Amino acid sequence: MTETTTGTDWQSWQESWDRQQEWYMPDREERFRVMLDMVEAVVGPEPRVLDLACGTGSITDRLLKRFPNATSTGVDLDPALLTIARGSFDGDDRVTFVTADLKDPDWSTRLPHTSYDAVLTATALHWLHSEPLAVLYGQLGGLVRDGGVFMNADRTIDPATPRINAAERAHRHAAMDRAKAAGALDWAEWWAVAAKDPVLAGPTAERFAIYGEHADGDMPSADWHARTLLASGFGEARAVWASPSDSLVLAVK
């Protein structure tokens, strides 16, 4: 167990977050595996990583278990998820967490390093609409070192295939309904539990004051992501993994 003097079981919170995320994304671990495969393939097993919009540190957790000599900077604005992340990695000098708003033009000045071997993000940037996301990609073009990588694993929607999109969505939501009937927590229920926890109640209230309720951005296609990354200073970009609803887009500087 990973506990602090407060008695909070941070490992249980991490596992609870994972289960809630897997309710939406049953292929989540496969995405992480391919992401780390490509980190190793392009920049090696000891990368300096920026975990972008890190949440509870899901990417960082898997990164360090696979590559013990890696280091990670996690950046996020969510005070509740950062509380879990900081509690989980307390005492691990390979990890640093930074509170910053990715919509702030100066957010990167808060980071401890000016360049990274890899910038990784998952299930996070769909909160941004296309215009601010393109601006962020331009900033990342200056943070990834030459030869380094950026990877974004997220929900992607191709507007050219509406019937496929509708069939996939119906099938996925039917599976989600069955899992929920069997006791799975959805997004709102997970946050309701967090709001009642003595340690997380305050940060959870702050979180909803910042973000309000969940609202997705544009969720553009994988092709849009690749084209926008190429326009942002990356030399190559394409999807390296896909499910019927999600893609992992990789860009090499």
Side-chain angles (χ1 to χ4, degrees):
M1 295 294 183
T2 304
E3 299 186 1
T4 67
T5 55
T6 65
T8 301
D9 185 348
W10 297 116
Q11 184 61 39
S12 289
W13 276 110
Q14 288 281 6
E15 291 172 358
S16 174
W17 178 257
D18 283 344
R19 300 295 84 75
Q20 179 257 127
Q21 290 287 284
E22 287 164 0
W23 180 68
Y24 293 96
M25 297 165 290
D27 299 318
R28 186 169 179 255
E29 289 301 326
E30 177 70 5
R31 296 193 314 173
F32 286 141
R33 182 190 67 77
V34 175
M35 177 181 282
L36 296 181
D37 281 351
M38 296 311 298
V39 167
E40 185 174 27
V42 181
V43 299
E46 299 183 10
R48 174 191 288 172
V49 170
L50 176 61
D51 186 350
L52 191 71
C54 64
T56 66
S58 298
I59 290 174
T60 293
D61 177 53
R62 288 153 180 82
L63 173 79
L64 297 180
K65 286 175 178 174
R66 180 159 169 178
F67 307 125
N69 293 324
T71 59
S72 178
T73 302
V75 60
D76 208 306
L77 184 62
D78 190 313
L81 298 185
L82 279 174
T83 296
I84 296 172
R86 289 186 168 112
S88 299
F89 295 94
D90 184 40
D92 191 333
D93 59 10
R94 299 171 297 176
V95 184
T96 304
F97 289 105
V98 173
T99 300
D101 184 351
L102 297 181
K103 293 181 180 179
D104 179 349
D106 298 320
W107 71 270
S108 63
T109 63
R110 297 173 176 264
L111 301 176
H113 307 291
T114 57
S115 69
Y116 289 85
D117 300 312
V119 177
L120 310 176
T121 187
T123 325
L125 300 189
H126 63 270
W127 281 64
L128 297 176
H129 289 278
S130 298
E131 185 174 340
L133 181 55
V135 171
L136 177 63
Y137 278 178
Q139 294 170 318
L140 296 180
L143 277 174
V144 176
R145 68 161 173 85
D146 287 347
V149 298
F150 167 71
M151 277 182 269
N152 179 13
D154 211 340
R155 184 64 44 84
T156 52
I157 297 176
D158 189 338
T161 58
R163 288 183 295 169
I164 295 172
N165 298 345
E168 180 281 322
R169 187 180 188 280
H171 185 267
R172 173 165 44 88
H173 277 262
M176 291 166 66
D177 289 345
R178 291 192 296 271
K180 194 165 174 26
L185 292 181
D186 65 17
W187 171 268
E189 290 167 334
W190 189 91
W191 282 109
V193 173
K196 295 177 182 177
D197 183 82
V199 175
L200 292 177
T204 296
E206 292 177 36
R207 181 239 180 256
F208 280 96
I210 293 169
Y211 292 106
E213 296 299 326
H214 187 281
D216 286 327
D218 297 334
M219 290 187 288
S221 68
D223 180 65
W224 180 94
H225 286 278
R227 286 187 284 105
T228 305
L229 287 162
L230 290 173
S232 300
F234 289 89
E236 298 179 9
R238 70 171 177 88
V240 292
W241 176 91
S243 75
S245 61
D246 291 35
S247 300
L248 171 60
V249 176
L250 181 154
V252 178
K253 183 72 179 294

